Each structure stands twice: as C-alpha cells, then as structure tokens.
Amino acid sequence: LSFSRIFCLQCWFLTSPIRSSPAQESALKPFSDLPGNWKASWFNLYQFWKDDGFHNLHNIMVDKFKTFGPIYREKLGSYESVNIIDPRDAAILFKSEGLYPERFTVPPWIAYRNFRNKPCGVLLKKGDSWRQDRLALNKEAMSLKVTDNFIPLLNEVGEDFVKRMEMKVGSSPQDKWTTDLTHELFRFALESVCNVLYGSRLGLLQDFIDPEAQKFIDAITLMFNSTAPMLYIPPEFLRRINSKFWQDHVNAWDVIFMHADKCIQNIYQDLCLNQKRAKEYRGILCSLLIQNKMPIEDIKASITEMMAGGVDTTSITLQWALYELARTPHLQDQLRSEISAAKASSQGDVAKMMKSTPLLKATIKETLRLHPVAVTLQRYTTQEIVLQNYRIPANILVQVGLYAMFRDSRFFSKPLQFNPERWIKTEDSKYFRGLSFGFGPRQCLGRRIAEMEMQLFLIHMLEKFKIEIKRGVEVGTTFGLILIPDKPIYLTLRHHQSQQ
C-alpha cells in the first residue's frame, strides 16, 4: 500500500465512533466531577510560577497524578487541559482523533506568524489545509521509498563528526578528551537536518563557524526559552505591554526565518541554474520544488519548522544516550558486537547494516522513554469520549503525560532502570507505550530523519570511542519547552582501539 492510502485507512479507522452500552452510560460521571485544581485558574498560575513550574512542569505532573489519580483536570491562566497517564486511555484518545487530528498549536508561535504575516507550516496548520500538506510531505519525509536517500547524507555528517572527535581526542593528554558535548551535538544535529532538507552542508563541523550560522543556533535556543512562559499568558497581552518574553520571541523567529529563507533561496536558484542535476536526490526541499505539488510559501513554512524543530530535539536525545551508555559499559560492549556483526554481514551496505542492529534501535527507544523530549502528547477531542469513567466533551485539550507514564512502575517494570531489552522482549506489553514520536497522522514528521540520524551517530561513535563518565554523577531534568539536562554532562571519550 502507498503511504497516502495507509494514511487514509488510518484516518477512517480513527473516525469510527466509540460506543458504550446503556448500563455503562448510566454509570458515567460528568466532566464537572473530574478531580483537579481547575476552578481558580489565575491563582493556579501564580502557584505554578511560585513552584518554579516553568522549569519543573514534568515533576509537578508526576506529583499531580499521585495526588489525583490517573486523570485530572487543570487550568493555569488561559491554559486548560485534561491530563491522563494510562496507556489504555491514550489508546481511546488517539482512536477517536478524527480525520483532522488537532494538537496544541503553541500560541506564541501562532502569534508571531500573525504578527509578521508569515504562513503556518504543517506543524501549526489545521483541517483540510493541514491534511493536504501532510500527505505531500509524508511522501518526502516518511515514505520508506524515499527515506533510504537520507542515509548517505546523514552518514557523511556522522563520519565527519567522528573525525572531529578523533582530532580532539588525539590532541588531548593521555589520549582522552573530557568535555560537555552540548554545543558540538547541536552543531551536528543542525548540519544533519540541513543536509537532508537542503542537500547541502552548512560547514558547522569546523573550528570556525560562520557568524550567521552561530546566530541561527543562538536564535533556536532563545526561541525555545521564550516560548514556555507564553504558554500560560496570552501572547497578545505580552505583545501589548512589549514584554521581554515577546521581544525575545519575535527576534528569535526573525533570525530563524531569515536564515531558512536564505538557504531556501540558494537551493531554488541552484535548481533553476542546474536543471541537468534535477534527477539527482538533493534533499527534501529540492524534491518538493521539482514536483510542484505545494505552493512555494507553504513549502518554505514547513521546511523552516522542520529545521527549527529538528535540532534541539535530536541533539538532546543523543546527549542523554551517551550519558546512559557511559553509565552502562557492558551495554556499550554488546552494541559494539552487534554493530561489528552487522557490518560484516552487510558487506559495506549501510542501509542493510542499520536493519541488523535491533539492540541499537532499542537503545534509542529506551533513551526516549527515560528522557522524552516532550512532557506531554496532546489532542483536542473531536467527539465525546469516556476516560476513567468520566465523560470528556468534544473540543477539550487532553494531554497524555509521557514523562509520568514512562517512569511509572504500573506500565514499565523497574522504570528508572536503563534497559533497552525491554523493547525487544515479546512478553512485555508495548500497547500505546512507545509514544515518543507521537501517534497516527500527527506523529512527528521528522521521525525517520531523527531515527536514522541517531542510529548512524551511535554506530560511528561506538566503533571509535569508549564513552565514560565519573562514578556517582547524577543528572536531572529541567523543562524549557522540551526536557533538557539540568546541568552540563561531562563525558570522557577514549579511542576504543587503545582499550583492547
């Protein structure tokens, strides 16, 4: 089946109504009976701010599930939601999401686009406009026929990153290098996603970085940092009082759009001048321009969103993966053995090698469980549904508490233990538990890029280096729109060959 037909069949399945028997109907509780603090919305926001909720949202949610049970209702300022933790409730929510599933659209991002008269990309669109764009983009970013084209582009960046790390290790005393890799991984992730989107490199893996590229990197960080506080206070109000949050947010997005626009213009001009190269695969943008199935402004908007959203998310996940691998040397050895065997059997075919590394894939999945990028996964209800015996009306924002679910012993055995094999064992239930990239037609559009990027990165790093961390080092998590380490993670890289 084609990706678009699978997409349509999935939408048909998801729009099937969920019915209850008459006996069940009479036992249902009304929406107004939901537990939680949802009546004093602005006092709740004040208390949330007092409890450092802007940075501690994930832990606050864990505590609230312990207090109120598997479902609670909340209102913080202008932000109202129903929160659930049970995978079975997540299944009910997603199976009822309708033909045009709608998630939380991040008000400050919409406010910026309205303020600057910028079009929304597929991440922020709704309704039929979203669906048409998503179908076109799925073919270029999710289809298995196309995604194999990403492998050489991502592999090239991965190999260059490891060469850079080898140079750093080689020039350090005792043939080892201890550092916080945050900035290095950010540059790697941006270089990777841009190579897939634009089919060209930015040159971020060199000692000297173009000032414009550094400006873009700083803008991504500022955009995320300025978004979180504006989730709970109407952006329009912050714009009217000219709040620093609003100023920072506008300035950050201005730089992001300016940088993306420049990249897109360069590719478009190159395409016009080099028609003979049109048959080569030169990235997602080039493919979209050649096919001419989306308006150029819509293409630019979606590509900009993918570039902005594909950097922090991947680089932070890789940082957590290296952190967990440094704490489990035996797992590093198992992965090296798997990679070595896959490399030998694939005879140099990178795509085949990647398909023969189930433990490596499970390691990435386990990293995303223990250290999810997002605190929640949201949907607006399209019809009345029943969760935990409560009637939830249509048009209500329901959030699956991913961080809380992933660390709950009711759903994962020994949840604080880093154990990739839990995703390989067939006896363990995985029903609506693997939600790190979202679900259904609204799942992360850059999922295939991210999975391949992280898999190739770890293959190259583990082949070359032994990754270490000081004993007893514990790193927590803080919220900044996405979940990030609460302090620098200092890792030591040694040449793996020297250990043999």
Side-chain angles (χ1 to χ4, degrees), residues 310-337:
V311 182
D312 270 79
T313 49
T314 307
S315 64
I316 293 298
T317 301
L318 288 174
Q319 194 172 7
W320 282 122
L322 294 175
Y323 168 75
E324 292 296 349
L325 287 170
R327 288 152 53 95
T328 50
H330 66 283
L331 178 58
Q332 286 189 53
D333 293 336
Q334 286 179 273
L335 289 169
R336 286 190 191 96
S337 297

Side-chain angles (χ1 to χ4, degrees), residues 140-141 150 196-197 281-288 303 306 449:
E140 301 303 324
F150 303 162
V196 171
L197 292 176
Y281 185 77
R282 298 169 59 196
I284 292 173
L285 172 64
C286 198
S287 185
L288 288 167
I303 290 292
M306 289 181 73
I449 301 172

Side-chain angles (χ1 to χ4, degrees), residues 32-152:
S32 57
D33 281 0
L34 273 169
N37 298 324
W38 50 272
K39 293 181 180 178
S41 60
W42 293 104
F43 175 77
N44 292 340
L45 181 60
Y46 166 74
Q47 192 64 46
F48 183 75
W49 168 78
K50 195 176 175 182
D51 294 338
D52 195 25
F54 292 132
H55 298 107
N56 202 32
L57 172 64
H58 51 304
N59 291 318
I60 289 174
M61 287 192 73
V62 170
D63 291 340
K64 286 187 176 179
F65 280 119
K66 289 177 181 176
T67 300
F68 298 119
I71 185 170
Y72 69 90
R73 184 179 171 186
E74 182 172 56
K75 191 168 184 183
L76 299 170
S78 60
Y79 186 93
E80 184 171 13
S81 64
V82 170
N83 301 282
I84 58 176
I85 192 174
D86 195 311
R88 291 167 295 183
D89 289 334
I92 293 170
L93 175 66
F94 292 125
K95 287 180 180 179
S96 65
E97 65 181 359
L99 188 62
Y100 305 113
E102 189 180 330
R103 62 184 176 190
F104 184 62
T105 51
V106 196
W109 296 6
I110 296 287
Y112 168 82
R113 283 151 179 78
N114 292 337
F115 179 64
R116 289 292 197 224
N117 197 27
K118 298 281 188 184
C120 288
V122 71
L123 178 68
L124 301 175
K125 280 189 173 183
K126 303 176 185 178
D128 195 57
S129 177
W130 160 79
R131 187 171 180 274
Q132 294 305 317
D133 283 5
R134 180 73 199 220
L135 284 170
L137 288 163
N138 279 344
K139 292 176 182 177
E140 301 303 324
M142 298 284 285
S143 168
L144 295 178
K145 289 182 180 179
V146 173
T147 50
D148 277 353
N149 292 319
F150 303 162
I151 294 175

Side-chain angles (χ1 to χ4, degrees), residues 360-398:
L360 184 65
K361 292 178 183 178
T363 298
I364 294 169
K365 202 166 185 176
E366 180 71 346
T367 300
L368 285 164
R369 179 196 69 82
L370 201 54
H371 307 284
V373 172
V375 178
T376 65
L377 187 61
Q378 322 93 10
R379 287 295 186 276
Y380 282 94
T381 53
T382 56
Q383 58 181 296
E384 181 183 282
I385 59 174
V386 176
L387 299 172
Q388 294 292 325
N389 223 32
Y390 290 95
R391 295 178 184 270
I392 311 299
N395 302 314
I396 298 296
L397 180 67
V398 180

Side-chain angles (χ1 to χ4, degrees), residues 420-433:
E421 290 187 356
R422 74 172 77 242
W423 297 104
I424 298 174
K425 293 177 181 177
T426 54
E427 64 267 21
D428 291 345
S429 173
K430 300 173 184 65
Y431 184 70
F432 279 86
R433 283 164 168 79

